Amino acid sequence: MRTVAPWQRMNFARSVGIFFVLVSVAWIGANYLILKDFFIGWPVIVGNLTVSIVGGTWWYITRHHARFSWDSDGFELQRGRTSPVTRRWDDISQVSLVHEGYGRFAVRLHTDNEEFVEIPASDLTLDASVLRFEVMQLVAARSLPEGLVGPREE
């Protein structure tokens, strides 16, 4: 089984940035309520940045980190610490490439009952087009009736 789980720098930076803004606004608000003054200096910025890195790392790991594993039978996709989505290639009826905006791509796997699973190819640092064609081959190979042979590899 092949597994891909790289550190997604943009999602990590977004998590740390959001925490930095929240911690800074909370510091300014608390400082104004208690001291009726705005005290911002290098120690405050370094402290806010430290808290933001710790909080952002926790948020990224629990919510955004993607892990994708697949083989010839099926796949498993997990985002953060949520329960993994596991499917067999037999359950997939269509494969499509989705542009999410800002240069991000995903491979969408459709089932027969109108549900779909999106594999975040850009987050996983995989070439979305290559992944789509690989998944299409896996789905086509699994959906052939018994006794028929798939396309020849030359």
Side-chain angles (χ1 to χ4, degrees):
M1 183 169 265
R2 295 182 350 195
T3 300
V4 177
W7 193 263
Q8 296 114 28
R9 287 182 225 114
M10 283 305 294
N11 290 337
F12 175 70
R14 188 176 307 130
S15 297
V16 170
I18 289 170
F19 264 83
F20 184 74
V21 168
L22 292 174
V23 168
S24 296
V25 167
W27 170 259
I28 290 171
N31 202 3
Y32 183 73
L33 287 173
I34 294 169
L35 302 175
K36 302 289 188 223
D37 194 11
F38 294 111
F39 174 71
I40 298 178
W42 286 111
V44 173
I45 292 173
V46 170
N48 286 355
L49 191 58
T50 303
V51 170
S52 300
I53 289 172
V54 170
T57 302
W58 170 80
W59 186 261
Y60 166 76
I61 288 171
T62 59
R63 302 286 184 193
H64 296 291
H65 185 70
R67 189 177 136 277
F68 179 60
S69 302
W70 75 100
D71 59 9
S72 61
D73 293 327
F75 70 93
E76 181 178 290
L77 176 68
Q78 184 173 12
R79 275 262 197 209
R81 291 196 177 145
T82 60
S83 59
V85 174
T86 304
R87 296 277 192 281
R88 297 183 50 79
W89 297 122
D90 297 337
D91 302 335
I92 307 301
S93 60
Q94 279 186 322
V95 180
S96 60
L97 186 62
V98 178
H99 183 257
E100 296 178 328
Y102 302 107
R104 296 178 51 171
F105 290 93
V107 175
R108 187 175 287 171
L109 308 173
H110 301 270
T111 60
D112 289 331
N113 55 357
E114 304 282 328
E115 293 178 2
F116 63 87
V117 176
E118 283 189 356
I119 301 168
S122 297
D123 287 349
L124 295 167
T125 64
L126 296 171
D127 184 351
S129 182
V130 171
L131 179 63
R132 178 186 65 157
F133 285 117
E134 183 178 344
V135 169
M136 286 171 64
Q137 287 178 345
L138 290 167
V139 169
R142 301 296 289 178
S143 64
L144 288 174
E146 272 189 49
L148 290 179
V149 179
R152 289 187 301 169
E153 297 281 330
E154 294 181 18

